[in-house]
Amino acid sequence: MLENNHPNKYAVIIAARNEELVIGQLIKSIKNQKYPMDLIDIFVVADNCTDNTAKVAERAGAIVRERFNKVHVGKGYALDYMIKVIESEYSAKEYKGYFVFDADNLLDENYIKEMNKTFNKGYRVITSYRNSKNYDQNWISAGYALWFLHEAEYLNLPRMVLNSSCAVSGTGFLVHANLIKENGGWIHHLLTEDIEFSVSQIIKGEKFGYCRNAMFYDEQPVTFEQSWHQRLRWAKGFYQVFAKYGSGLIRNMFLGRLNKFSCFDMTMTIMPAMLISSVSMMVNGSFYLAGILGVFDGKEIIHTTTKVFLNSFGWYYGILFTLGFITTVTEWKKIHCSAWKKIAYTFTFPFFMFTYIPISIVALFKKVEWKPIAHTVVKSIDEVR
C-alpha cells in the first residue's frame, strides 16, 4: 500500500451541456488546488452544446472535445465518450484515476490532496463531502443541500466506520482507471447512472470509500418545476436500477461471499419504499372520499382516516425534522447561510421531503427522459464561503 501523501496522476472529467456561465469557475478552483498541477489534466466534454461552453472551458485551460449526439443523450454517454478519447489520445499519461464533476461544481483547495490520501488507502472508488453553493436561496435549494449533507455524514461516514461500502451520488467522485478498463468504459446509462454504477460495482464486490475532508460545492434547483423534473428522473432511475439489479442484490445478501451487508444497504436504498407510503396514503384518501360521498358510514370513516392521517403526518414530520435538525447542528459551520435561515429551513425540510410522494407515484407511470438543469449561480469558491 502506498503512503497516504504519495501524489498520483489524475484526469478530471467534466461533462457539460450549455454551462458557459459556471464552468470557468470550476476550472479555476481545480487549478487552485494545493496539489502538483503537473499531475492534473482537465478534460471537458461539451455535450450537445449550443452556447460557448467549449470556448470558455478551453480559454480556462481545459482540454475540450465537443460531442453531438441526439440519440444517446445523458451524462453517462458523455463520460464514456471522453474516457475513450483519453484512452486513445492520452494513454501515455498513464492516469491512475478519473475525477468526475458537473460543470456547476466548485472545489475546496485541499480537495484533490485529501481524495488522494484516501485513494492511497486502496479504495478504487471514493466519494466526497457535498456542500451547496446556494443553500440560502430558498426552501427548495436548502432541502436538497441539507439532504446531501446528511447523506455524506450520516450515511457514507457510518458506512466507512462499519467497513461497509459507500455509494456515489451524482458528482464529486474518483474512480480508479483500472476499474474503468475492466468495465470497458463507462457502461452505465440508466436515468440515474450514479446509483447504477454504485450498485453494479458493489454486487461485484467493490467497496467504495468516503473522504469527509474533501469538500466540494454544487448548485441546487430553486424552482419547484426544475426540482420536479430532476427528482422525477431520479425516482424513475431508482425504479430502473431496482428492476435491473434488485435480484442480484438480494441474491448476494444471502448467497454472496462479498459485501453482503452492503448489498442489503443498497437494496434498502433503492427499494421503492416511498411508493409504498404513497399507496398507503392513496388508500386512506379513497376511504376518506368514500366517507364524504356516503359510500360508507361517513362520520366514522372520516374521523378514522383523519386521525390516521394526522398521526402519520406528525410522525413523519417529526422524524424528518429531527434528521434535518441534527444535521444542521453538526454541520452548522459548514453551511454558508445566515443563522435564521439555517433554523427556518430545518422546519421546511420535511415539506421538501414530502414532495417526493407525488413524484414517486408519477414516476411509476410517466415516461421520463433526461433534461438539463440550467445553472446560473456564478460564484468563486471564496464568494461561496
Side-chain angles (χ1 to χ4, degrees):
M1 190 173 292
L2 298 171
E3 293 293 330
N4 281 0
N5 61 356
H6 174 81
N8 296 290
K9 186 178 290 186
Y10 299 111
V12 175
I13 304 177
I14 306 164
R17 182 168 181 175
N18 293 339
E19 301 281 15
E20 63 178 5
L21 290 178
V22 296
I23 196 166
Q25 290 292 350
L26 168 58
I27 295 172
K28 182 180 178 181
S29 72
I30 296 171
K31 287 184 170 293
N32 287 337
Q33 291 293 296
K34 293 180 179 178
Y35 192 84
M37 285 313 299
D38 59 324
L39 298 179
I40 299 294
D41 288 326
I42 305 168
F43 295 87
V44 173
V45 50
D47 190 38
N48 289 310
C49 290
T50 57
D51 67 352
N52 293 317
T53 295
K55 291 181 180 178
V56 172
E58 199 165 35
R59 283 200 301 265
I63 299 166
V64 181
R65 293 292 184 274
E66 294 186 85
R67 174 183 179 270
F68 297 97
N69 191 319
K70 300 297 184 181
V71 178
H72 295 141
V73 177
K75 181 179 174 181
Y77 291 107
L79 290 176
D80 189 55
Y81 172 85
M82 184 53 84
I83 287 169
K84 285 179 168 52
V85 168
I86 294 170
E87 289 178 344
S88 64
E89 299 180 26
Y90 296 88
S91 59
K93 294 275 191 175
E94 296 184 338
Y95 299 113
K96 287 290 186 180
Y98 301 114
F99 281 98
V100 177
F101 298 111
D102 289 340
D104 61 297
N105 297 165
L106 291 173
L107 310 187
D108 177 84
E109 58 268 19
N110 294 307
Y111 184 93
I112 294 179
K113 180 178 71 174
E114 294 297 335
M115 289 288 276
N116 183 68
K117 290 179 183 178
T118 305
F119 185 82
N120 283 338
K121 292 178 181 178
Y123 291 100
R124 297 205 301 172
V125 185
I126 307 162
T127 188
S128 53
Y129 187 101
R130 188 173 185 176
N131 210 328
S132 176
K133 294 200 296 188
N134 60 330
Y135 193 107
D136 64 342
Q137 271 197 274
N138 62 19
W139 68 280
I140 296 173
S141 64
Y144 276 100
L146 193 51
W147 172 257
F148 289 134
L149 293 175
H150 167 78
E151 185 178 61
E153 288 294 276
Y154 291 94
L155 292 181
N156 280 330
L157 181 60
R159 287 165 176 159
M160 285 285 282
V161 173
L162 295 172
N163 196 31
S164 182
S165 178
C166 301
V168 163
S169 178
T171 182
F173 60 94
L174 171 61
V175 184
H176 199 295
N178 287 346
L179 187 148
I180 296 295
K181 286 181 181 179
E182 291 166 11
N183 286 345
W186 188 272
I187 58 174
H188 309 286
H189 304 297
L190 297 182
L191 287 171
T192 47
E193 79 288 328
D194 53 346
I195 196 67
E196 182 190 5
F197 170 67
S198 299
V199 169
S200 66
Q201 296 305 133
I202 287 170
I203 289 175
K204 292 179 182 179
E206 200 70 43
K207 192 171 289 186
F208 292 20
Y210 165 60
C211 182
R212 69 186 311 204
N213 294 323
M215 183 186 299
F216 77 99
Y217 301 80
D218 68 346
E219 180 181 340
Q220 311 304 339
V222 293
T223 70
F224 191 76
E225 181 180 6
Q226 286 180 327
S227 179
W228 175 275
H229 288 304
Q230 185 184 62
R231 290 187 289 153
L232 191 66
R233 174 174 63 83
W234 291 353
K236 189 73 170 184
F238 269 58
Y239 293 154
Q240 290 176 342
V241 174
F242 187 74
K244 185 173 181 179
Y245 298 96
S247 60
L249 284 170
I250 294 170
R251 185 168 56 251
N252 267 33
M253 283 167 52
F254 298 100
L255 303 177
R257 290 181 298 172
L258 298 171
N259 283 351
K260 283 190 174 184
F261 180 78
S262 296
C263 286
F264 166 76
D265 183 14
M266 287 299 104
T267 302
M268 294 300 101
T269 298
I270 66 174
M271 186 174 285
M274 183 63 77
L275 182 63
I276 297 172
S277 299
S278 302
V279 171
S280 175
M281 293 183 70
M282 289 174 64
V283 171
N284 285 327
S286 299
F287 277 104
Y288 188 84
L289 184 61
I292 293 176
L293 297 176
V295 177
F296 302 112
D297 183 352
K299 289 184 179 179
E300 185 174 346
I301 288 291
I302 291 172
H303 173 75
T304 302
T305 53
T306 299
K307 186 177 180 180
V308 169
F309 173 78
L310 291 176
N311 285 339
S312 299
F313 177 83
W315 274 105
Y316 280 126
Y317 183 91
I319 291 170
L320 291 169
F321 174 80
T322 302
L323 182 152
F325 175 78
I326 292 173
T327 305
T328 300
V329 170
T330 59
E331 308 309 298
W332 184 271
K333 292 182 179 180
K334 297 175 183 177
I335 299 173
H336 303 292
C337 180
S338 62
W340 76 266
K341 284 187 176 182
K342 293 179 189 179
I343 296 169
Y345 292 147
T346 303
F347 287 94
T348 60
F349 175 69
F351 295 107
F352 172 80
M353 297 301 292
F354 284 150
T355 59
Y356 270 106
I357 294 173
I359 289 171
S360 66
I361 296 172
V362 173
L364 190 64
F365 303 102
K366 184 179 175 62
K367 182 180 179 181
V368 181
E369 297 179 347
W370 183 86
K371 293 181 180 179
I373 300 289
H375 296 122
T376 58
V377 179
V378 184
K379 291 181 179 180
S380 68
I381 189 72
D382 291 329
E383 289 171 328
V384 169
R385 294 184 301 206

